[in-house]
Amino acid sequence: MDYLSITGPSRLGGSVTISGAKNAALPLMAATLLCDKPVTIDNVPDVADIRTLLKLFKKLGSRFTFDDHTLVIDNEAIDNTTATYDIVKTMRASILVLGPLLARFGRCEVSLPGGCAIGQRPIDLHLKALEQMGAVIEIKNGYVVATAPEGLQGAHIIFDKVTVTGSENIIMAAALARGKTQLINVAKEPEVVQLCEVLANAGVTIEGIGSDELVIHGTDRAPVCFEPFSIIPDRIEAGTYLCAAAITYSTVTLENVRPDHLDAVTAKLHEAGCRVSAEGSAMTLHPAARLRSFDISTTEYPGFPTDMQAQFMALATQAEGVSIIEERLFENRFMHVSELQRLGASIHLKGNTATLNGPIQLLGADVMATDLRASSALVLAGLAASGVTNVHRIYHLDRGYEKLHEKLKNLGAKIERLSE
Ligand code: UD1
């Protein structure tokens, strides 16, 4: 197993190119199941989660090539509609094939994802919405068995909670349903918006794109055809590099970003004393003279993203004063706290709120990655800590960060990828 060895404290500089957004690429790849012609997608990040979904597509009978971030995928010959446990257990987002497979083929079986390191993460809202669209859903041998022999029927659906992949699943299902589907309390994340835009370009009429109420006019099972498109930049990867610059008091420029997708993140960086300037698709972080404490409460887009909570906790260890970080989306997304404490951070955890006192001079240690974003927080802390920090179990990082150690090395970090 590989681990990252970081010698700090680091000073970074220069520029880094941000990859395509994994969380936009996954639903858009799933959306290609609505199409029976080849689809070309550019700027697809080469990360483990994308490879996992491709493994699933291979089992379904898709043909594809994936070279230099361009995916050409042909789902004409799909002869299997089962997403098996071995794949779904490694990546929960595999659930994204449920809506499109059911909509196009009238039946599918998708393994229930089961537990997760950051919380319970049920899929009840996905299933309830599909039932409202006429699907019959049974749970058999750990699988969701969904059938809709006559196709799905448009419906009026109100999501009890804002769910990102839940919204995406139902948007894809509605695209091929019979009649009109009204969705209320839909997620507004940029990844959901891109999914709607790509479907709209493919001829599906969608009203209200970018808002929390959508009206989707289904094609009544007629497959849709996609023009080639490019995945939006990864706002979470971008936010992580902004934090890397901030925590090391460095000036770093990000290329290939959408600054407007990062408003909540840059607002907090300003509160912490940094300055972020944007020009076109580039953003530069100018470090604070002295990092100041800040408070964070995670929420749905356009609020502060839960996927940036851990990285900002690493930053708060270096900020002067008391920072309060409240996690409102997932019940157990504080696994990084005890690892940051191993580096010397002063964090008091009560319920879903962490209180930090800073700044603390972190000291390098061995730490263990527990989930994707928690892992990146440990890398950030390692950049600020003095001495050697070894971050173990980095397969979590590989799921969502393309060439993280190479990108950081190019920025000047002393970081090596080694084998245990
Ligand atoms: C997506 C992102 C993930 C991000 C999260 C929140 C992808 C592939 N993953 O995950 O990186 O952290 O959004 O921004 O895009 N819930 C239910 N029932 C459901 C569905 C969700 O109760 O059927 C709850 C969840 O437990 C959680 C909240 O709703 O408390 C939000 O979860 P959701 O938006 O669905 O997260 P994901 O789509 O899994």
Side-chain angles (χ1 to χ4, degrees):
M1 225 184 284
D2 287 358
Y3 66 100
L4 291 179
S5 184
I6 305 161
T7 306
S10 295
R11 187 52 73 95
L12 309 181
S15 69
V16 55
T17 301
I18 299 305
S19 299
K22 160 182 98 69
N23 285 357
L26 293 170
L28 284 162
M29 286 163 67
T32 66
L33 292 165
L34 302 171
C35 175
D36 57 3
K37 304 260 179 339
V39 184
T40 301
I41 314 179
D42 284 325
N43 202 34
V44 178
D46 195 350
V47 293
D49 273 7
I50 298 297
R51 298 274 172 187
T52 302
L53 191 57
L54 286 176
K55 216 188 258 182
L56 171 55
F57 272 76
K58 195 164 185 199
K59 283 195 175 194
L60 299 178
S62 304
R63 286 187 293 255
F64 54 82
T65 57
F66 183 32
D67 290 313
D68 196 18
H69 303 105
T70 298
L71 176 66
V72 182
I73 189 160
D74 182 353
N75 294 320
E76 199 256 321
I78 288 209
D79 53 2
N80 172 18
T81 55
T82 302
T84 49
Y85 178 64
D86 55 327
I87 292 185
V88 181
K89 78 170 195 289
T90 57
M91 189 183 65
R92 301 180 56 81
S94 313
I95 195 70
L96 283 165
V97 301
L98 175 64
L101 279 179
L102 181 62
R104 178 161 156 213
F105 300 101
R107 134 163 225 118
C108 68
E109 305 79 31
V110 178
S111 170
L112 274 170
C116 167
I118 65 172
Q120 214 188 356
R121 298 183 84 176
I123 55 158
D124 57 314
L125 301 176
H126 305 227
L127 303 184
K128 189 174 149 196
L130 289 173
E131 280 176 334
Q132 283 178 271
M133 298 177 78
V136 177
I137 308 268
E138 290 175 284
I139 305 296
K140 273 193 202 157
N141 308 110
Y143 280 73
V144 176
V145 180
T147 47
E150 305 303 320
L152 294 168
Q153 173 69 49
H156 180 79
I157 294 164
I158 304 173
F159 288 102
D160 292 339
K161 268 189 198 174
V162 177
T163 158
V164 175
T165 50
S167 299
E168 291 163 346
N169 239 333
I170 305 311
I171 290 166
M172 291 186 279
L176 253 59
R178 199 166 42 251
K180 193 169 83 175
T181 300
Q182 268 180 299
L183 300 177
I184 313 289
N185 203 22
V186 180
K188 293 181 293 194
E189 269 65 4
E191 297 77 20
V192 180
V193 173
Q194 189 180 24
L195 173 66
C196 291
E197 286 170 349
V198 169
L199 285 168
N201 275 341
V204 180
T205 305
I206 306 183
E207 297 164 50
I209 295 178
S211 78
D212 58 5
E213 291 194 21
L214 297 176
V215 178
I216 301 170
H217 300 262
T219 66
D220 197 4
R221 284 177 105 169
V224 293
C225 277
F226 296 102
E227 294 297 318
F229 62 89
S230 183
I231 300 292
I232 55 170
D234 194 318
R235 64 195 166 99
I236 305 301
E237 189 197 19
T240 304
Y241 283 100
L242 290 174
C243 284
I247 203 169
T248 57
Y249 286 90
S250 308
T251 302
V252 169
T253 297
L254 276 47
E255 310 281 357
N256 185 36
V257 276
R258 281 280 303 260
D260 55 319
H261 291 168
L262 282 150
D263 285 347
V265 168
T266 47
K268 282 296 153 193
L269 288 166
H270 284 147
E271 261 182 67
C274 306
R275 192 166 66 80
V276 183
S277 57
E279 210 183 310
S281 62
M283 271 173 112
T284 300
L285 184 126
H286 308 273
R290 242 170 142 177
L291 283 165
R292 293 192 299 262
S293 60
F294 49 83
D295 295 345
I296 279 175
S297 189
T298 65
T299 184
E300 296 88 9
Y301 190 86
F304 189 88
T306 174
D307 285 351
M308 285 302 303
Q309 179 255 104
Q311 299 90 319
F312 270 76
M313 191 179 293
L315 190 60
T317 67
Q318 300 308 300
E320 190 164 307
V322 177
S323 297
I324 297 176
I325 299 183
E326 185 193 11
E327 172 56 55
R328 293 175 56 208
L329 290 190
F330 294 110
E331 65 266 28
N332 193 26
R333 202 166 199 180
F334 278 134
M335 305 286 275
H336 43 285
V337 167
S338 49
E339 300 302 300
L340 289 172
Q341 284 168 335
R342 301 196 72 250
L343 297 169
S346 163
I347 310 173
H348 176 71
L349 193 56
K350 192 166 182 214
N352 64 347
T353 303
T355 306
L356 286 96
N357 275 289
I360 298 277
Q361 177 55 63
L362 303 175
L363 297 176
D366 283 274
V367 288
M368 192 110 82
T370 48
D371 73 60
L372 174 55
R373 308 303 171 186
S375 318
S376 59
L378 299 179
V379 173
L380 297 179
L383 293 173
S386 51
V388 177
T389 299
N390 293 319
V391 183
H392 300 272
R393 297 203 182 163
I394 55 164
Y395 53 83
H396 291 292
L397 280 170
D398 294 336
R399 286 188 42 210
Y401 288 94
E402 186 170 337
K403 298 197 171 92
L404 177 78
H405 81 283
E406 283 177 35
K407 289 187 182 185
L408 282 173
K409 208 171 182 167
N410 286 340
L411 290 173
K414 289 197 194 85
I415 181 167
E416 299 296 334
R417 187 177 175 120
L418 303 168
S419 289
E420 304 273 6

